[in-house]
Amino acid sequence: MSGENAPANPPGRGIGAVVLVRNSYGDILMVKPRCRHADQKQGWQLPGGRAHEGEPITVAAARELLAETGLKRKLSYLLMVDQVPASEGETSADGISFVLDGGTLDNDEAAAVTLPESAHGKLSAVEWVPPGQLDELALPHQAARIRAAARAFAYGMRQPMFLLGEIANA
């Protein structure tokens, strides 16, 4: 373990940028990482990842969505913000995850979603998950985050993302 990631010196607060994408049936697009919970049924999560230093959140979310699912979407709206505390033993820092609205894909678009070859080292699968299976496939905090974001979408509670006072478009 390198000195900068040692438990006594966890990395600084992370900024996560994840995307909620639905199909016409209301299923949610999710990915299964290889590095964590790979041997468990749970561990599925929304596509996305950590924003690079100085990178706008909408750009980070669009970059990760493309890399993990092959989808190129215009991302301008926030569904929710979720704070994640540092892990026990402080081996990982706390973080803030921004959940952006990736919209609803029609049947043809949804059927074309596959795991890009370039993501095979990072992810084992990409799937459309019915909301009723979230507790079975996602960790509790991930399932709660996804349900909250889906409710925000259903109730029209999405908010525009801004960059320097202008609506951010990625």
Side-chain angles (χ1 to χ4, degrees), residues 74-157:
K74 180 179 175 185
L75 302 175
S76 299
Y77 290 92
L78 174 71
L79 293 171
M80 68 170 292
V81 178
D82 189 16
Q83 184 171 355
V84 180
S87 63
E88 279 188 39
E90 297 186 15
T91 56
S92 65
D94 67 324
I96 298 174
S97 289
F98 293 82
V99 182
L100 279 71
D101 180 12
T104 303
L105 303 185
D106 66 30
N107 291 342
D108 291 337
E109 291 173 311
V113 174
T114 60
L115 184 64
E117 190 69 33
S118 59
H120 282 230
K122 180 180 173 184
L123 303 172
S124 60
V126 59
E127 297 281 337
W128 291 101
V129 175
Q133 291 183 358
L134 286 174
D135 289 329
E136 182 183 335
L137 298 175
L139 296 172
H141 73 279
Q142 295 280 356
R145 174 187 294 165
I146 295 164
R147 277 193 291 275
R151 277 193 307 273
F153 175 81
Y155 295 131
M157 296 172 54

Side-chain angles (χ1 to χ4, degrees), residues 23-112:
N23 65 17
S24 62
Y25 302 108
D27 299 334
I28 297 162
L29 185 62
M30 297 181 72
V31 297
K32 179 73 159 112
R34 287 190 183 278
C35 62
R36 297 166 121 183
H37 317 290
D39 59 343
Q40 300 172 5
K41 187 172 187 179
Q42 287 186 318
W44 288 82
Q45 59 192 33
L46 295 175
R50 193 174 181 137
H52 298 153
E53 188 171 332
E55 182 180 34
I57 293 162
T58 55
V59 172
R63 173 181 51 77
E64 288 286 339
L65 182 65
L66 179 63
E68 293 182 356
T69 68
L71 283 173
K72 187 169 185 172
R73 306 289 289 172
K74 180 179 175 185
L75 302 175
S76 299
Y77 290 92
L78 174 71
L79 293 171
M80 68 170 292
V81 178
D82 189 16
Q83 184 171 355
V84 180
S87 63
E88 279 188 39
E90 297 186 15
T91 56
S92 65
D94 67 324
I96 298 174
S97 289
F98 293 82
V99 182
L100 279 71
D101 180 12
T104 303
L105 303 185
D106 66 30
N107 291 342
D108 291 337
E109 291 173 311

